[in-house]
Amino acid sequence: MHDKFGNLTGTDLEGFHSGGDTEAWRRLGSHVVTVHDDARGDLSGTRFAVWAPNAQRVQVIGDFNWWQGDDMEFVPGSGVWGLWKEGVGAGARYKYKIQHRDGSWQEKADPFAFSTEVPPANASVVFEREHAWAPSEESWLAHRAQADPYHSQMSIYELHVGSWRKGLDYRQLAQELPAYLTWMGYTHVELMPIMAHPLEASWGYQVTGYYAVDPRHGSPDDLRVLIEALHAAGIGVILDWVPGHFPKDDWALGRFDGTALFEHADPRQGEQLDWGTYVFNFGRNEVKSFLISNALFWVSEFHIDALRVDAVASMLYLDYSRPPGGWVPNKYGGRENLEAIDLLRYINRHLYRRQPGVMMIAEESTSFPKVSAPVDVGGLGFGFKWNMGWMNDSLEYIKLDPIYRQYHHNEMTFAMVYAYSENYILPISHDEVVHGKGSMVNKIPQDDWRKFATLRSFYSFMWAFPGKQLLFMGQEFGQRSEWNEAVGLEWWVDSLQWHKGLRDMMREINHVQARTPALYELDSEPEGFRWINDNDWMANTFSWLRFDRQGGMVACVANFSPEPYPEYGLRVPRAGRWREILNTDEQRWDGSGEAANGTRIAQPVDGEEGAELVISIPPMAGVWLRFEPEATDS
């Protein structure tokens, strides 16, 4: 006799049922395992295990049994059905056939599958990892464990795998993407969700296979090759993760065993009206194990460096996008989802402890307090939060005709009121260039000269503002069309006038930032920033100082007016030499090149603190000048 459950016991599943199993993928799903038979010796096969406690009967069907079904049994002491099937190996396709309490049958994909068929087919696929990480990965992980992301440069390139260069698979991307990102000077790439999802137009945000890689572009091992190549090039990998909701496809997680298993049964808690999806039951122990294991799975098994958690606001609030009377208050009568809050704290605390150097990033659009504060001081435990307020305000500003910008000046300065309430990332993401919002360059009014000059000035404003930076692909070279995942980026324009100049300037901005600690080192600390003039609304001009921990200084100016200011005065802390390190109006970037500053000398002001620095500011341009102390300066 051999073990019919493939060495899986009820004791193994106790953690899953108690909410404390953080590696549940090792126990559930399909695994090629060897069992010992007293008469025949060691036998190879696949163990199948699925949580379906309310099912009347469960079978595994697949190409190994002509889709006819082998009966599974409850693993003693658990709500998990199990079966070890001899002779089944990697590549086998399968589903679970589940009989509900009313006698009806339904076929379901495996919630813990590591691989799936290419949509629209939806069978799960038995997968055995073959990829061995290169020795360089050990060095990368050791470096990551010692890194300090808060005081380091973080320039993030957000990317949709399927349309960056249409048709490339993970291994082809491994040949092209790291070189491009390195050349452009980005430090990180953020991949939109690459978990298995049936509808390409959902961009991965409606996940049906939380543990499976999107098979359109290759296998899990192919993805590992891409991640390894990015790490070898010094690029950190951020992955979007979607724990807030999941789609209603009848072959996936929804009503998995005929009951609301992963989701709340009450539609006022278990359905997301905006997206037509189900909401996870965050208080259920098995769902806790499922989600925390999933977060750890991507970080540990794929060496992902950060998870950007999508739609956190929808998890935090019970009344999120719900009509009056259409939601259930918490036990204190409030609107906060206490179970989701506890789960997020649990996940964040666990990942930071288990995976040194990992980052957790919240896409959270409200003023919920302490999102990026540690759990032990009452925070949610994220490392960073997207600054959606800054994004909305600044985009509304640049959409205006320059003559009207003076009346909206505070939209560009208001973010400093709350800049240090969280550790912020400034995002210009895919959401801002789809669904009729237009591309970045086409948000800006008037002719091409003004459009591209304004965009160059805006990027210089963004890269010198407190916070880390994120830009969605295609916006670095000014793609005119809004993004469409079905056709890919318009790479043919990046060698044309305006487009090439913008891309080359973005490359310069990243490289200048990398060698100028004042532009990133104190992003989350008040000591790193000081306004020079935040009230020059008549000139549509903003000026400020950035500092590093060693006393280095950079004066930053952004002009959003079509008027040049040939003698613009700045009050700076130190007299002496200030050298221009960026001017977005240079000819090589399709600017006029008529207002280069070179090195300027700031003159002391009698009887007053600081010095007066007079510079030339081109129209619709950004200028950065770095203070260069004399060798004898203390």
Side-chain angles (χ1 to χ4, degrees):
M1 287 290 293
H2 61 259
D3 181 358
K4 61 184 175 182
F5 297 122
N7 306 322
L8 184 68
T9 69
T11 302
D12 296 329
L13 297 165
E14 287 176 357
F16 176 69
H17 291 304
S18 69
D21 190 348
T22 61
E23 299 183 12
W25 75 86
R26 301 190 188 281
R27 283 159 276 284
L28 285 93
S30 60
H31 297 267
V32 178
V33 296
T34 298
V35 302
H36 183 76
D37 184 273
D38 293 339
R40 300 165 60 201
D42 290 340
L43 305 174
S44 179
T46 293
R47 181 186 73 213
F48 298 93
V50 61
W51 178 50
N54 302 303
Q56 182 171 301
R57 189 178 173 193
V58 178
Q59 296 179 331
V60 60
I61 61 175
D63 53 13
F64 45 84
N65 61 14
W66 302 278
W67 302 95
Q68 295 305 301
D70 286 291
D71 281 316
M72 305 177 74
E73 297 180 31
F74 270 125
V75 178
S78 79
V80 170
W81 300 75
L83 173 70
W84 179 81
K85 181 71 173 174
E86 183 180 352
V88 177
R93 295 176 300 137
Y94 70 98
K95 294 181 182 182
Y96 296 118
K97 188 174 180 181
I98 298 174
Q99 187 177 34
H100 304 158
R101 292 297 184 186
D102 65 4
S104 61
W105 288 88
Q106 189 169 31
E107 294 179 4
K108 290 285 190 177
D110 186 347
F112 283 88
F114 297 144
S115 183
T116 70
E117 289 186 297
V118 177
N122 55 39
S124 302
V125 180
V126 177
F127 178 81
E128 265 199 301
R129 174 177 159 184
E130 296 180 355
H131 178 78
W133 293 108
S136 60
E137 276 295 294
E138 288 189 22
S139 299
W140 173 265
L141 295 177
H143 167 76
R144 188 184 78 185
Q146 301 301 317
D148 178 4
Y150 305 105
H151 299 103
S152 303
Q153 184 196 23
M154 192 184 301
S155 179
I156 305 166
Y157 189 72
E158 188 192 23
L159 179 135
H160 177 258
V161 167
S163 60
W164 182 66
R165 287 182 176 158
K166 195 74 175 175
L168 297 188
D169 61 26
Y170 298 126
R171 288 180 181 265
Q172 291 167 329
L173 282 166
Q175 298 298 314
E176 298 190 23
L177 181 59
Y180 180 75
L181 295 175
T182 304
W183 181 75
M184 284 294 295
Y186 287 100
T187 65
H188 292 75
V189 62
E190 179 170 322
L191 305 177
M192 292 165 67
I194 47 76
M195 297 82 175
H197 56 280
L199 181 64
E200 195 167 5
S202 79
W203 314 324
Y205 291 100
Q206 297 211 7
V207 179
T208 49
Y210 273 82
Y211 289 82
V213 168
D214 182 0
R216 296 173 179 87
H217 316 296
S219 72
D221 279 351
D222 295 334
L223 177 62
R224 288 184 174 96
V225 169
L226 170 59
I227 292 167
E228 190 172 82
L230 289 163
H231 286 167
I235 305 296
V237 181
I238 303 170
L239 178 61
D240 280 15
W241 185 51
V242 192
H245 65 112
F246 58 91
K248 294 182 176 180
D249 300 73
D250 61 5
W251 49 268
L253 290 180
R255 303 297 191 264
F256 189 80
D257 63 358
T259 68
L261 196 60
F262 288 89
E263 69 276 25
H264 272 283
D266 188 332
R268 296 174 298 169
Q269 298 171 278
E271 295 189 25
Q272 183 50 254
L273 303 179
D274 283 353
W275 306 314
T277 52
Y278 287 130
V279 177
F280 282 105
N281 183 348
F282 301 114
R284 187 162 195 169
N285 284 338
E286 291 87 355
V287 173
K288 291 180 184 178
S289 291
F290 178 83
L291 289 174
I292 192 170
S293 295
N294 191 240
L296 183 62
F297 172 77
W298 291 103
V299 174
S300 64
E301 297 297 305
F302 287 86
H303 292 185
I304 295 296
D305 303 295
L307 293 178
R308 176 267 197 186
V309 184
D310 184 62
V312 171
S314 74
M315 299 174 66
L316 296 177
Y317 297 104
L318 295 164
D319 63 346
Y320 181 86
S321 200
R322 297 182 188 278
W327 57 283
V328 180
N330 64 35
K331 61 184 179 181
Y332 302 112
R335 57 194 286 258
E336 295 81 13
N337 189 331
L338 303 179
E339 294 171 338
I341 291 169
D342 286 346
L343 178 63
L344 288 171
R345 287 172 170 165
Y346 177 31
I347 291 171
N348 288 332
R349 187 171 55 239
H350 187 77
L351 260 69
Y352 274 112
R353 185 173 68 247
R354 285 284 300 274
Q355 296 287 326
V358 74
M359 294 184 293
M360 297 295 291
I361 303 167
E363 189 251 332
E364 201 281 315
S365 55
T366 74
S367 57
F368 193 93
K370 297 184 177 181
V371 171
S372 59
V375 173
D376 58 10
V377 298
L380 285 183
F382 286 94
F384 290 93
K385 172 181 171 175
W386 274 20
N387 194 335
M388 310 294 280
W390 172 88
M391 178 271 296
N392 285 314
D393 289 345
S394 59
L395 291 186
E396 288 303 312
Y397 179 85
I398 65 170
K399 289 177 186 177
L400 297 167
D401 190 287
I403 197 171
Y404 299 118
R405 288 175 183 159
Q406 60 186 310
Y407 306 114
H408 297 264
H409 196 77
N410 67 315
E411 291 180 10
M412 294 291 274
T413 62
F414 181 67
M416 285 310 303
V417 173
Y418 58 87
Y420 306 110
S421 61
E422 304 279 1
N423 302 317
Y424 279 119
I425 291 173
L426 310 179
I428 299 297
S429 74
H430 66 279
D431 276 332
E432 311 319 314
V433 293
V434 291
H435 297 326
K437 296 179 182 178
S439 64
M440 282 297 290
V441 72
N442 276 342
K443 295 181 191 297
I444 302 167
Q446 301 187 345
D447 60 18
D448 275 356
W449 178 83
R450 289 172 174 81
K451 285 177 180 290
F452 281 87
T454 299
L455 195 52
R456 293 195 302 269
S457 183
F458 175 74
Y459 287 156
S460 77
F461 179 95
M462 177 179 175
W463 255 250
F465 205 74
K468 310 307 181 184
Q469 292 79 28
L470 176 145
L471 189 66
F472 183 58
M473 64 181 196
Q475 309 316 304
E476 77 273 22
F477 58 79
Q479 174 166 311
R480 293 178 188 266
S481 301
E482 69 176 22
W483 173 57
N484 181 349
E485 85 287 339
V487 297
L489 298 185
E490 298 174 351
W491 285 103
W492 58 88
V493 307
D494 86 333
S495 61
L496 303 179
Q497 185 183 21
W498 310 121
H499 301 279
K500 181 179 184 298
L502 177 65
R503 185 205 62 200
D504 289 350
M505 190 215 67
M506 283 304 305
R507 178 174 183 260
E508 181 76 1
I509 276 182
N510 276 330
H511 287 288
V512 170
Q513 186 188 54
R515 58 180 180 261
T516 312
L519 294 172
Y520 62 78
E521 196 171 61
L522 298 176
D523 276 328
S524 299
E525 298 164 43
E527 296 79 14
F529 177 91
R530 186 192 310 169
W531 285 114
I532 297 174
N533 189 346
D534 63 341
N535 201 34
D536 194 1
W537 54 272
M538 292 186 67
N540 291 354
T541 297
F542 308 83
S543 54
W544 64 97
L545 292 159
R546 295 299 308 273
F547 303 90
D548 63 29
R549 288 184 288 196
Q550 287 71 44
M553 293 182 285
V554 177
C556 307
V557 184
N559 175 15
F560 291 98
S561 161
E563 298 298 320
Y565 302 113
E567 295 188 355
Y568 193 89
L570 302 173
R571 181 61 62 89
V572 294
R574 299 283 298 275
R577 294 185 305 175
W578 291 75
R579 185 171 65 85
E580 184 175 85
I581 57 174
L582 181 78
N583 187 322
T584 67
D585 192 49
E586 287 193 39
Q587 282 186 325
R588 56 180 169 153
W589 299 322
D590 300 319
S592 70
E594 296 176 359
N597 285 287
T599 298
R600 296 292 178 106
I601 305 299
Q603 301 293 339
V605 179
D606 290 341
E608 298 183 24
E609 282 191 28
E612 187 74 9
L613 177 64
V614 179
I615 66 171
S616 180
I617 307 176
M620 294 178 170
V623 177
W624 299 346
L625 299 104
R626 182 174 57 210
F627 178 65
E628 296 191 338
E630 300 289 345
T632 56
D633 284 359
S634 58

